[in-house]
Structure formats: structure tokens, C-alpha cells
Amino acid sequence: MGEKLLARWLKANPVPARGPAWTVEHTGLRLLAWLVNAPLLLGGDARLRGQALDAMEAHARYLDRQVARAEDGLGQVAGWCAIVAAGLLLPDGRPRRLFGEMGLLRALGELVSEDGGVLSRSPLAQMEAIGMLIDLRACYAAVDREPPTALETMLALLVPRCLP
């Protein structure tokens, strides 16, 4: 099912374009989801695998150029998470990963207050930020790398501790 949806998306959207599907947030969330679920999406058809990998690289290049134009802080975090994930999982990604880590930590610093809540105080935004960072942590695990300490610190701030 995932392969069919991916094939339909790639057919309808061969290159990054304009419109609601191409905001930094939506592009980042889509690329992050593709990368996290790549083993499920890229297992079958070799032609689709090649198209998907090309699309992932195109999405990453688009985000490299557009991430600073995100609509809000959460959109920037989505874009930066996807850039870091692409840097970890796509070929020759070290420069992109380093660029993305710096941008992500800066964006998180602007999104998260000292008490660990997102500045907008939106519970939904907080959950989305946590979800993106957990997906990004899975990308680090997939390549046997430890996430930066500052990233783990931000995640610990975002996830409230339960009282005994």
C-alpha cells in the first residue's frame, strides 16, 4: 500500500513546486516520513526505488534552499529535522547533516522555552515537535550514530517528567 501511494505522489509531483504541499513544514514532514519508512517503501520495484531516492534528494535540496522561509518555528524544525535525516541516510550527506544539526539546534532554541514547553503553548505543537525528534533519533540509530547531546537535551525538555 505504501509503495502505491508513493508511486502516485511521485507521478503527480515529479519536482518540488508551489502550493500548500510545498511549504517547508509539509515538505520536511514528507521527507522525514519517507526516510524513516524507507525500508517499507523501497523494498520492491527497482524503478520506483530509483525514482523515490531521486525525489528524496530533490526534497532535501529544496529544503536546503527554503528552510529559512518556513512559516513558523515548528515548520522550521520540520525542515531542519528532514535535512539532518537526509544528511544521515542519503549518500554523501555529512556536510548536509552538519549544516542541518546547527540549524535544527538554533530552531529548537527559538521554539522551546526554558521550562520545556513550546513558546506557543500549543500542546499539539509540542507533540509534533516531540514526534519529529523521535523520528530523527530513529535515523541516527539506523546509521549507528549518537545524536548530538544538545538534541537529546531538547527532547528531554520537551517531554515532561511524570511525577511518582
Side-chain angles (χ1 to χ4, degrees):
M1 178 62 145
E3 287 178 350
K4 288 181 183 179
L5 289 173
L6 178 60
R8 287 173 53 194
W9 169 266
L10 295 175
K11 184 177 180 183
N13 302 279
V15 294
R18 294 190 177 191
W22 294 101
T23 64
V24 169
E25 183 173 4
H26 290 141
T27 304
L29 290 172
R30 182 171 47 255
L31 178 56
L32 186 59
W34 285 352
L35 290 166
V36 168
N37 294 291
L40 300 172
L41 295 173
L42 304 178
D45 181 2
R47 188 172 145 265
L48 176 61
R49 183 180 318 112
Q51 290 174 334
L53 289 170
D54 289 345
M56 289 175 190
E57 182 60 40
H59 274 60
R61 281 192 311 271
Y62 177 82
L63 287 170
D64 289 342
R65 294 186 310 271
Q66 299 295 323
V67 70
R69 295 186 178 119
E71 303 73 33
D72 59 24
L74 192 62
Q76 267 201 359
V77 169
W80 287 117
C81 281
I83 288 170
V84 174
L88 288 165
L89 300 173
L90 295 178
D92 303 319
R94 186 173 188 270
R96 179 176 282 145
R97 177 184 56 83
L98 294 173
F99 167 70
E101 287 173 344
M102 288 183 356
L104 176 58
L105 294 174
R106 186 175 45 250
L108 285 168
E110 294 172 7
L111 181 75
V112 180
S113 69
E114 290 179 16
D115 68 0
V118 294
L119 292 174
S120 69
R121 294 303 190 212
S122 165
L124 181 58
Q126 183 125 358
M127 290 187 312
E128 288 174 354
I130 292 166
M132 287 184 276
L133 294 178
I134 289 171
D135 282 348
L136 183 56
R137 185 195 277 169
C139 294
Y140 279 98
V143 294
D144 249 355
R145 282 189 82 86
E146 289 294 321
T149 306
L151 187 69
E152 290 295 319
T153 300
M154 280 296 190
L155 187 56
L157 274 172
L158 283 164
V159 179
R161 296 185 76 94
C162 295
L163 298 175

